[in-house]
Amino acid sequence: MSKMSKATSKTVDVARPVSADKVAWMDLWAQYNAFYGRTEDTALPKDVVDATWKRILDPESSVDGLVASVSGKLVGLAHVAFHDNMIQLQQTCYMQDLFTAPDARGLGVARALIDGVKQLCRSRRVGDVYWHTQAENTVARRLYDQVGRDTNFVVYRMNFD
């Protein structure tokens, strides 16, 4: 799943992560979580991070992932969850996480990862993918407006014991 960036002559390679990617993935995952304010006291617990990594690598899991590299360095990640839904017979795909390292932004990494997610979906005969982002994430939304449609839904969350 390689893609030549329009902005440069660098190639963005997208693939499923392998065990050897763990250290670089953990760094990207920590940066992604920091972007959403999950650091220090609010950082994800180690057991959650470890479980996420195991799920991504497990071919039997409903969770899957992709990593992007440029010149052999991991610079992006995407995590998805496949699930049944009530409005169509086939499963759907939720792209829960999409992240590009700051020094690789503008190289087409996020677009290449989204294209990779589409390929994952097609390989599983899943015809759609959805995701959400914060309203003020204007840089990401410029790309999202090009590749998807804003459904105008507001996301609510309820935590309980």
Side-chain angles (χ1 to χ4, degrees), residues 58-84:
D58 180 357
E60 299 300 315
S61 175
S62 61
V63 172
D64 208 339
L66 296 171
V67 290
S69 60
V70 173
S71 302
K73 178 185 175 193
L74 288 190
V75 296
L77 58 79
H79 302 145
V80 298
F82 293 95
H83 64 89
D84 294 333

Side-chain angles (χ1 to χ4, degrees), residues 17-60:
V18 295
S19 294
D21 294 329
K22 184 176 183 180
V23 171
W25 173 87
M26 287 184 73
D27 179 55
L28 289 170
W29 184 232
Q31 290 181 60
Y32 170 81
N33 282 293
F35 179 82
Y36 286 106
R38 294 184 291 262
T39 62
E40 299 175 13
D41 292 347
T42 60
L44 295 178
K46 183 181 181 327
D47 61 335
V48 172
V49 173
D50 290 343
T52 299
W53 178 247
K54 284 178 76 171
R55 288 175 184 149
I56 290 167
L57 294 184
D58 180 357
E60 299 300 315

Side-chain angles (χ1 to χ4, degrees), residues 87-117:
I87 61 171
Q88 62 191 33
L89 295 175
Q90 68 193 53
Q91 285 196 319
T92 191
C93 176
Y94 171 48
M95 184 169 60
Q96 185 166 342
D97 311 308
L98 179 67
F99 179 73
T100 301
D103 62 345
R105 292 184 182 152
L107 299 179
V109 173
R111 184 181 293 273
L113 284 163
I114 291 170
D115 287 346
V117 167

